[in-house]
Amino acid sequence: MKIVRLLSTAALLLVSASTAAHDAVIPGRFLGEWNADPSQCGKGTEDSFLLIEPRRVSYWESSGPVRAVVVRGRELALILELSGEGETWLSATQFELSEDGKQLSWERASGEPFVRFRCPSPRHRSNNSSKPTPLRGAA
């Protein structure tokens, strides 16, 4: 009985998602780049890489449009249409944002949380160089 109820709920979500896909927008507090190792921010090469945009989510080896969004407090549930390595599939996932907005947790199948840290936005990221960046047009 639980399986029938779960499948019915999933079908309703998919119907709702297909009719309102253009309205599926992730709220700003969840947006940005997230990594398990903050030193990997901006590289996109770490397997924990996650980029959340208003209407799209990208992981290290897959990405795709958001088909449905549900927000409850600091919780975010998504249905995504992901593509990667020549295949496309639907993915349902749920995240929880920390109170300070600096950590995003995802619950693994084992029940343990997998935590990613918010990366600084590109315009606020330092270039970690000892040389100053020359101004445009400067000789």
Side-chain angles (χ1 to χ4, degrees):
M1 190 65 179
K2 287 183 181 180
I3 292 175
V4 172
R5 195 172 331 143
L6 179 63
L7 290 174
S8 298
T9 302
L12 286 173
L13 281 173
L14 289 175
V15 169
S16 298
S18 66
T19 59
H22 63 282
D23 294 335
V25 177
I26 299 172
R29 66 184 177 272
F30 297 99
L31 302 180
E33 181 182 345
W34 303 84
N35 271 292
D37 179 358
S39 72
Q40 297 301 308
C41 288
K43 297 178 182 177
T45 56
E46 170 65 26
D47 62 356
S48 70
F49 169 80
L50 172 64
L51 178 62
I52 301 177
E53 298 173 290
R55 291 184 167 89
R56 183 173 193 80
V57 173
S58 298
Y59 293 97
W60 181 48
E61 293 183 327
S62 60
S63 65
V66 175
R67 296 298 180 208
V69 176
V70 177
V71 177
R72 186 177 65 189
R74 293 181 290 122
E75 292 179 275
L76 172 67
L78 302 172
I79 295 179
L80 307 169
E81 185 178 339
L82 296 175
S83 297
E85 298 182 4
E87 299 196 20
T88 301
W89 65 95
L90 287 177
S91 173
T93 190
Q94 184 175 343
F95 298 105
E96 184 172 350
L97 189 63
S98 64
E99 285 188 37
D100 64 4
K102 295 180 180 181
Q103 297 177 15
L104 192 66
S105 299
W106 168 75
E107 190 174 308
R108 298 177 192 200
S110 66
E112 293 181 32
F114 180 78
V115 179
R116 289 179 174 98
F117 299 90
R118 183 184 296 276
C119 293
S121 66
R123 63 180 164 254
H124 296 109
R125 207 178 283 147
S126 71
N127 64 6
N128 294 326
S129 171
S130 59
K131 292 183 179 181
T133 304
L135 296 175
R136 238 183 234 165

